[in-house]
Amino acid sequence: MKRIIVFILLVLLGSGTYIFFAGLYPAAFVDFHIISASDFDKNYSGAFRYYQNILNLYAGDSAVLDAEEVKREIQGTVLNKLIEDALIKRELKRMMKSDDINLIVEKKISEIAENQEVREGAEILYGFSANELRREILAPQAKKEILE
């Protein structure tokens, strides 16, 4: 009996460690949708890098981004965007089937996503690969446009 308890505790400890280091723990809940910490971190990194590149290009210095207040503001904006995306996704699921949503989204973003200049720009501005660009920026924007 003691071995079973030790085994269960080791499995729980291992699972918890994996969840923590993989960033799979929730950063926020929207209804029953979980916004994971890894999704939040990826979007925050992309937004931070975007602002850093824009400030370096136009102002010549991105030191303003080092302030904790600015970082918190970007984090709040990113979290609001992720919550909005989850609400839009929920509303679209109410209105139509998932297959129909996917077809419309794919139609809206396919030409943009396949453009080499757009992919290179996303890599430079956001640090996103083509798949990340599609998943993190283009698909949520297309879903938002469907509701409008």
Side-chain angles (χ1 to χ4, degrees):
M1 181 68 165
K2 192 174 183 179
R3 288 183 180 180
I4 293 173
I5 292 173
V6 170
F7 175 74
I8 291 172
L9 288 175
L10 287 174
V11 168
L12 290 175
L13 180 65
S15 299
T17 303
Y18 174 76
I19 288 170
F20 178 77
F21 285 108
L24 299 176
Y25 56 92
F29 290 99
V30 179
D31 291 333
F32 294 104
H33 177 80
I34 295 173
I35 298 172
S36 72
S38 64
D39 287 342
F40 174 79
D41 289 341
K42 178 170 285 304
N43 278 271
Y44 172 72
S45 295
F48 189 84
R49 184 170 177 174
Y50 171 81
Y51 286 122
Q52 193 174 40
N53 287 328
I54 293 299
L55 285 171
N56 283 334
L57 181 65
Y58 291 109
D61 185 19
S62 63
V64 70
L65 293 176
D66 293 336
E68 285 302 313
E69 183 179 320
V70 173
K71 290 178 182 178
R72 281 194 302 271
E73 183 70 29
I74 295 170
Q75 289 171 342
T77 302
V78 167
L79 188 57
N80 284 338
K81 179 208 174 289
L82 292 172
I83 291 169
E84 181 181 298
D85 291 349
L87 293 172
I88 288 169
K89 185 177 179 180
R90 183 191 69 190
E91 187 62 29
L92 283 176
K93 283 186 176 182
R94 272 192 214 160
M95 294 172 49
M96 58 184 80
K97 294 185 241 174
S98 291
D99 290 342
D100 294 339
I101 296 168
N102 292 337
L103 283 172
I104 295 169
V105 167
E106 186 58 35
K107 183 178 178 183
K108 284 183 165 288
I109 67 174
S110 63
E111 186 177 322
I112 296 169
E114 300 306 319
N115 185 314
Q116 183 64 28
E117 290 177 356
V118 171
R119 291 197 318 245
E120 289 172 1
E123 177 66 36
I124 293 168
L125 277 178
Y126 299 100
F128 286 167
S129 68
N131 287 337
E132 291 168 330
L133 170 70
R134 180 181 289 269
R135 184 179 62 244
E136 306 297 337
I137 297 174
L138 297 178
Q141 182 61 36
K143 289 175 183 175
K144 185 176 181 179
E145 289 173 8
I146 292 169
L147 280 181
E148 293 174 345

